[in-house]
Amino acid sequence: MLIHALASEMKLEAVTTEYRGHARDLGRRAADSDDIDLVVALGGDGTVNEVVNGLLHNGPDLDSLPKLAVVPGGSTNVFARALGLPNDAVEATGAILDALANSTERTVGLGLAAGTPGPRTSPSRSAGSPSAPVSDSTPA
């Protein structure tokens, strides 16, 4: 149902993650693509974190990175709730479609944590909107 709603408004390729780190790999592929304008992550905070790390594998660049929208699908969905999205995936999809129709977007602050197995970037829990370009790496 969610895929159908999004596909009615845009060209859509739906991909299901198959292994740990797959969402990161998909985010990286989207960041390197010249024809992807928006990545919609359906999942929880872990999935969103992986996608963001993939999108930012070459660093933040507002002019070339696709925008990111989040549909809550995890157990807690802290990031999606911080964006003000409903916890229901269908309602959140409607909010994303409204944001796209109204060209509503916001830059989301990021934090960088160094450690094993390497640096990771994570979206801030306190800012955002349904269609948020990831644009700036701000130390936590």
Side-chain angles (χ1 to χ4, degrees), residues 18-104:
E18 298 176 4
Y19 53 87
R20 185 181 182 118
H22 193 195
R24 182 195 62 235
D25 295 343
L26 294 169
R28 183 177 295 141
R29 188 177 90 189
D32 292 340
S33 172
D34 291 330
D35 63 347
I36 296 176
D37 299 319
L38 174 69
V39 173
V40 179
L42 167 58
D45 296 316
T47 301
V48 172
N49 189 49
E50 280 194 23
V51 171
V52 168
N53 277 285
L55 287 171
L56 293 176
H57 77 103
N58 283 328
D61 183 353
L62 272 178
D63 296 327
S64 67
L65 285 174
K67 291 175 175 49
L68 172 65
V70 177
V71 177
S75 56
T76 308
N77 305 308
V78 172
F79 184 65
R81 286 191 345 235
L83 296 175
L85 288 168
N87 206 37
D88 178 77
V90 174
E91 291 178 26
T93 301
I96 290 167
L97 291 173
D98 288 345
L100 291 170
N102 295 318
S103 299
T104 304

